[in-house]
Amino acid sequence: MGLITFENEFSVAVPPAKLFKVYCLETDTLIPKILPQAIVSSEIIEGNGGPGTIRKVTFVEGKGLTYVKQKIETIDEENFAYSFSLIESNVWMEGVEKVIFEHKFVPTPEGGSICKRTSKYYIKDGAEIKEDQIKKDGKKTEGLFKAVEAYFLANPDA
């Protein structure tokens, strides 16, 4: 099995505690509300929200990706760190065993956050995955965080 690791980071004008809460703890209620044009629902289908929990995210029709299933690996509220593995999807998973996404939210002097993200793609023997696809997925995640940022800038008391 091969491994492709991709690291990226981006700034978000939202404090780490609030960003962590939205992205890691209250995903099921807030992310579909913040991104209704992309996400239909997010729901726990197994577990209690802690490590080992399985979550299904359903996307709007017409974008190719219709759903993903994620398994929460770690939640560290004190250090604003969170990881999950992508264990099922309707697209591009045929060559991938699993993908682990690790996130850490670090405070900035301005009161926002730096999101540090490491993506580990475990590639099945004999399969080939293009790194351009991995980079494209990273840009989509950055877009998600920018949507969260826009929501909180427009709704500071939310």
Side-chain angles (χ1 to χ4, degrees), residues 127-145:
E128 230 178 90
I129 301 296
K130 295 183 174 149
E131 288 193 36
D132 288 349
Q133 178 63 42
I134 294 170
K135 290 178 183 177
K136 185 177 170 184
D137 291 344
K139 287 291 182 189
K140 288 180 183 178
T141 300
E142 183 175 356
L144 178 143
F145 283 106

Side-chain angles (χ1 to χ4, degrees), residues 35 41 45 50 61 146:
L35 283 168
S41 65
I45 58 174
E61 291 184 30
K146 290 300 181 182

Side-chain angles (χ1 to χ4, degrees), residues 17-34 39 41-44 49 55 70 72 75 77 82 148 151-152 158:
K18 191 176 261 192
L19 195 58
F20 183 85
K21 184 175 181 182
V22 169
Y23 187 69
C24 308
L25 303 178
E26 296 184 9
T27 299
D28 298 333
T29 55
L30 291 175
I31 294 298
K33 179 180 176 180
I34 293 170
I39 298 174
S41 65
S42 177
E43 61 184 326
I44 291 175
R55 170 180 284 123
Q70 306 169 341
I72 298 172
I75 299 175
E77 292 183 54
Y82 176 77
V148 169
Y151 175 81
F152 281 116

Side-chain angles (χ1 to χ4, degrees), residues 29 52 56 62 65-66 70 78 80 82 87 115 131 137 140:
T29 55
K56 181 179 181 184
L65 181 64
T66 58
Q70 306 169 341
E78 187 175 311
F80 307 121
Y82 176 77
I87 57 172
C115 176
E131 288 193 36
D137 291 344
K140 288 180 183 178

